[in-house]
Amino acid sequence: MTIDESTLARELRADGIDVADVRVSPDRVAVVYTTTLPAERPAHGEMGRVCNTVIDLVEAGDLEPCRVDATSLRFEDDVQATWHVEAEWLDGVTNYRISEEEFSARVLDTVETDPDVEADLGDADTPRATDGDDGGAR
């Protein structure tokens, strides 16, 4: 993996994602972003842009397929949803073993609109959008 947090944040922002925080570890990427559509469920277009950014980075060799954990915020302290991508799905879609439709369906199946955010935010590898430490991502 050659990408760092600030580069990943810049790539996501270039694809229209309002990044609040990004964390990169050898086996996982965690992204917190603020949605432009603060509804009950996350906007599929924003989810797709996050996924496409990661897929592009994997295809370019800048990121190894790894788990991606995403948290969509309505506002600073208001979690809209969490969702994730498994490393195997990234590997499958980039190597044409699963279709883009199958990949999307799997990601959409992971959406949780009532996540246990307290537990997730306590994890050292999980981004904290409100802790003031942007991890160099801004």
Side-chain angles (χ1 to χ4, degrees):
M1 181 176 331
T2 60
I3 197 160
D4 62 20
E5 291 163 344
S6 62
T7 302
L8 178 55
R10 189 171 41 253
E11 292 291 326
L12 289 164
R13 286 185 181 112
D15 284 337
I17 300 301
D18 183 7
V19 177
D21 198 10
V22 172
R23 303 285 166 104
V24 176
S25 68
D27 60 342
R28 188 170 90 119
V29 168
V31 176
V32 174
Y33 64 94
T34 304
T35 184
T36 58
L37 300 166
E40 181 180 332
R41 299 194 56 79
H44 293 180
E46 288 173 336
M47 292 174 65
R49 288 195 306 275
V50 171
C51 290
N52 286 335
T53 300
V54 171
I55 289 168
D56 289 347
L57 292 168
V58 169
E59 289 178 335
D62 295 329
L63 182 67
E64 292 295 319
C66 62
R67 181 176 168 111
V68 177
D69 290 307
T71 301
S72 173
L73 303 174
R74 287 184 193 94
F75 307 101
E76 187 172 307
D77 289 323
D78 185 7
V79 174
Q80 178 184 46
T82 61
W83 54 272
H84 72 270
V85 177
E86 295 291 341
E88 302 83 49
W89 306 346
L90 281 170
D91 185 57
V93 75
T94 58
N95 288 299
Y96 306 103
R97 288 192 303 274
I98 63 171
S99 68
E100 291 178 7
E101 292 79 14
E102 176 67 18
F103 176 85
S104 296
R106 290 179 185 189
V107 173
L108 290 173
D109 283 345
T110 71
V111 172
E112 290 188 40
T113 56
D114 191 20
D116 183 6
V117 178
E118 292 273 318
D120 290 344
L121 294 180
D123 185 330
D125 289 333
T126 302
R128 287 172 218 79
T130 60
D131 70 358
D133 173 19
D134 67 4
R138 292 182 197 229

